[in-house]
Amino acid sequence: MTSTGKQPNALAQPLEPPSAGRITAYLGLFVLGAVVGVAGGLVQSGWFPGGLLLALAGAAGLFLGGAQATGARAGAIAPAAGWMVAVVVLTSSRPEGDFLFGAGVGSYLFLFGGMGCAVICATLARGRRPGGPGARLGK
């Protein structure tokens, strides 16, 4: 309680560093995002229309599930970062000229659709919100 009798605003409090368990969860989500990115890259080109939808649904499920499991936006950002790293590495060509993704509509839909899913899931995730009865305006 402050001298005016009101509780301090939770958003005005300083941020605390994450715990070791939370960091481990974020690293696990990062690795899981990379695995989903590789699997999605293989599935989307193998079964074009259905595989693309399956790959994007898997990525969106992981992003939103990570946010729900951790209760923070970082839970959606960590697997999205792993997904993005895996997809960008797979799109780059090798010195031999080999590459996993072809230059087709499906590859671009997978890349941009996955980025769109990541942004949407991170936006839908709960951020840092004040709690208690005085958190709403007008109360």
Side-chain angles (χ1 to χ4, degrees):
M1 292 274 216
T2 61
S3 61
T4 61
K6 292 184 178 180
Q7 291 183 349
N9 188 350
L11 293 176
Q13 300 301 318
L15 292 175
E16 298 175 3
S19 65
R22 189 167 285 269
I23 291 173
T24 304
Y26 291 148
L27 287 175
L29 286 170
F30 181 86
V31 171
L32 195 56
V35 169
V36 168
V38 170
L42 296 172
V43 168
Q44 66 89 20
S45 60
W47 307 314
F48 172 62
L52 176 64
L53 293 174
L54 179 66
L56 290 176
L62 175 63
F63 303 154
L64 196 57
Q68 292 294 324
T70 60
R73 287 192 174 120
I77 294 171
W83 182 90
M84 193 67 193
V85 167
V87 170
V88 167
V89 167
L90 292 176
T91 57
S92 63
S93 63
R94 298 174 36 137
E96 298 87 18
D98 299 335
F99 52 90
L100 186 63
F101 286 169
V105 174
S107 298
Y108 290 115
L109 286 174
F110 178 63
L111 179 65
F112 294 126
M115 287 189 291
C117 285
V119 169
I120 290 169
C121 291
T123 303
L124 289 176
R126 291 183 46 146
R128 186 175 173 196
R129 295 183 183 159
R136 300 181 92 182
L137 295 176
K139 289 208 171 193

